[in-house]
Amino acid sequence: MTLDAAWAERWMRRSAADMHAAREELTELDRRIGDGDHGVNMDRGFAAVASRLDDEAVPPRETVAQVLRLVATTLMSTVGGASGPLYGTAFLHAARVTNRADLDGAGVVALVEAAAEGITSRGRAVPGDKTMVDAWAPAVEAAERAADGGDAVEVLRAAAAAAADGAAATVPMIATKGRASYLGPRSAGTEDPGARSTAMLLAAAVAAAGAD
Amino acid sequence: MTVDVGLVLVAHSAPMAQGTADLARQMAPDVVIRCAAGDEDGGLGTSLDRVQDALADALGTVDGVVVLADLGSAALVVEAAFELDPALARRARLVSAPFVEGAVAAAVTAQQGAAPDAVAESAEAAVHSIGPSPVLELVESSADDSPAPAGTHASGETVQAPGAPTSGAADEATATAQIRNKLGLHARPAALLARSVADLGVPVTVDGADASSVLALMSLGTVAGQRVTVAARGTDAAGAVDVVVGMIEGGFGEE
């Protein structure tokens, strides 16, 4: 499987379908510890991404970077709340390091690192704050480890698995960033919706590579 | 006086942003204030497009913009707009300030013709206007940094240093005035007084506080019936003191 622009587009269409299916689940998580709009926001944002990919007026994409840049600007404009600028910045920074026809293992590592760096530079959260960083940080570590001898899809799969574990690990955490932090200890017991959607996003990247 | 700095208010709620803008305009009628509030559908939320439009609109009129955001995610949207267009970031800055108090303080400072730095500082210092014991030192030190009041760009209006050779001798004057307002020199009278003092172009203090600074005046915590000392130094100091004493004793049109 080649991780090229066509893969990146399949990744985004798959994400749109997954976000739509998980709309209620994400919204319910966010209702417990946030403002209750994460599912709606992610569904709206990725639906807009899918429709831009289908738009004949948008020039065809030849590199992974071109797809990711389109995703970045669309998410920033259409996803409300903190997730729009956070995911938008993640894809924007990822686009800077993926300006090539297809990605090898090191290319996937660079993508995941740049996306995670975008999230942390924008949101200034650190692991343990009960945010999407708790999914992205382990994904980066796992991708870097897997890159030692692994091919692109193996790197991606390792990153996605680590993100899922990282998201699950946010359940007992007490939020210290964003509106969930106002809940203090009452934020414990619920998975962070942003970490959950991050895990979903990376799982969709693996599925789009036909390796799930 | 030219007002070169505008405000952009980025909020999750359009009525809240609009209400804050109204409040700020009451004391700063000439300041360009644009709101970017609510999501694309008019619901609660923030929108990158609205933020970009408001920034472009304000910067079409004024040289610099100070941006206030109501919640963390509003600040993230502003930073994303700056990242997408670095040219914006050179002319606009996001301040770490309480939304309502910061907007009012920034607007009043901008109304006095202050530079972007001073407008931003006044917004950030506004946090000290909330709470039981204002941190007077911080407010005063930020007031010290603000530019000379009003009109330093026009030679005829330049603030006179004490003793500067002029046609009228630079002098000093002091008088006392009794506070009439039930709530003391609260936001509205403080703003009116600060604006007038800035227009006078003569440094005036009330009980040692810079009378051209709204926050410094409010931080005095004055109460009705209290006597304060008004002092001025510079050309026609006595005239400036008369004006300020007259305003304080006049009660600013309140009961």
Side-chain angles (χ1 to χ4, degrees):
Chain A
M1 170 54 61
T2 312
L3 300 187
D4 55 8
W7 159 76
E9 297 201 3
R10 282 198 307 280
W11 172 17
M12 288 306 130
R13 289 200 171 85
R14 183 99 191 197
S15 298
D18 291 353
M19 293 302 166
H20 186 70
R23 182 183 160 110
E24 289 310 314
E25 177 197 341
L26 290 174
T27 292
E28 177 52 30
L29 291 177
D30 197 31
R31 194 171 288 134
R32 286 189 220 154
I33 60 171
D35 50 1
D37 61 3
H38 192 56
V40 176
N41 285 340
M42 294 300 280
D43 185 21
R44 179 175 52 217
F46 279 90
V49 167
S51 83
R52 288 210 69 196
L53 291 174
D54 292 336
D55 188 345
E56 301 281 329
V58 179
R61 281 70 53 186
E62 286 161 9
T63 64
V64 174
Q66 286 168 349
V67 177
L68 300 186
R69 191 167 296 113
L70 179 147
V71 173
T73 53
T74 308
L75 292 181
M76 279 191 185
S77 290
T78 56
V79 181
S83 313
L86 288 170
Y87 278 125
T89 307
F91 283 108
L92 196 65
H93 288 205
R96 289 180 190 155
V97 297
T98 50
N99 190 22
R100 56 176 90 180
D102 60 88
L103 306 180
D104 56 10
V108 173
V109 171
L111 187 163
V112 176
E113 283 176 343
E117 180 275 325
I119 300 269
T120 50
S121 71
R122 179 66 64 242
R124 293 179 282 273
V126 296
D129 282 342
K130 196 181 180 95
T131 69
M132 49 178 81
V133 171
D134 290 306
W136 282 104
V140 169
E141 283 178 19
E144 286 167 351
R145 274 197 307 272
D148 192 18
D151 70 11
V153 177
E154 285 165 13
V155 172
L156 204 51
R157 196 187 295 116
D165 290 346
T170 63
V171 174
M173 290 179 185
I174 293 170
T176 55
K177 283 274 173 185
R179 260 185 270 183
S181 64
Y182 301 143
L183 292 169
R186 279 181 294 144
S187 63
T190 297
E191 187 172 2
D192 177 66
R196 178 91 196 96
S197 59
T198 294
M200 287 173 51
L201 208 51
L202 289 173
V206 176
D212 56 339
Chain B
M1 177 188 341
T2 322
V3 177
D4 292 328
V5 182
L7 303 185
V8 168
L9 307 181
V10 181
H12 283 64
S13 152
M16 189 182 79
Q18 198 50 56
T20 304
D22 291 344
L23 206 52
R25 283 197 192 99
Q26 191 184 23
M27 302 186 211
D30 303 320
V31 177
V32 170
I33 304 176
R34 296 286 178 266
C35 299
D39 66 12
E40 301 286 313
D41 307 321
L44 293 176
T46 49
S47 145
L48 179 73
D49 292 357
R50 288 190 181 200
V51 170
Q52 288 170 326
D53 288 350
L55 285 168
D57 188 29
L59 287 171
T61 311
V62 290
D63 293 340
V65 160
V66 167
V67 184
L68 289 109
D70 69 338
L71 285 169
S73 51
L76 295 185
V77 173
V78 174
E79 290 175 353
F82 289 168
E83 174 152 7
L84 289 173
D85 184 0
L88 280 181
R90 283 192 285 276
R91 294 175 63 201
R93 75 170 72 184
L94 175 66
V95 290
S96 174
F99 192 71
V100 177
E101 290 79 0
V104 171
V108 172
T109 306
Q111 176 74 32
Q112 295 170 24
D117 282 353
V119 175
E121 276 172 22
S122 72
E124 292 181 340
V127 71
H128 303 300
S129 71
I130 317 174
S133 64
V135 184
L136 206 53
E137 295 79 5
L138 286 176
V139 173
E140 281 177 346
S141 70
S142 75
D144 288 343
D145 293 338
S146 38
T152 46
H153 52 280
S155 56
E157 298 171 3
T158 315
V159 176
Q160 296 292 344
T166 54
S167 49
D171 48 9
E172 297 186 16
T174 305
T176 61
Q178 189 167 22
I179 305 287
R180 305 289 179 190
N181 298 72
K182 227 183 296 182
L183 301 174
L185 294 177
H186 64 89
R188 185 181 158 277
L192 290 170
L193 188 58
R195 208 153 80 208
S196 301
V197 169
D199 285 342
L200 288 172
V202 179
V204 179
T205 59
V206 173
D207 277 0
D210 176 2
S212 71
S213 162
V214 181
L215 291 164
L217 288 172
M218 289 172 67
S219 300
L220 287 171
T222 51
V223 294
Q226 184 179 338
R227 298 203 73 85
V228 293
T229 302
V230 178
R233 285 198 313 184
T235 306
D236 197 18
V241 167
D242 279 350
V243 168
V244 172
V245 169
M247 288 185 78
I248 293 174
E249 301 246 323
F252 302 90
E254 293 180 359
E255 288 292 299

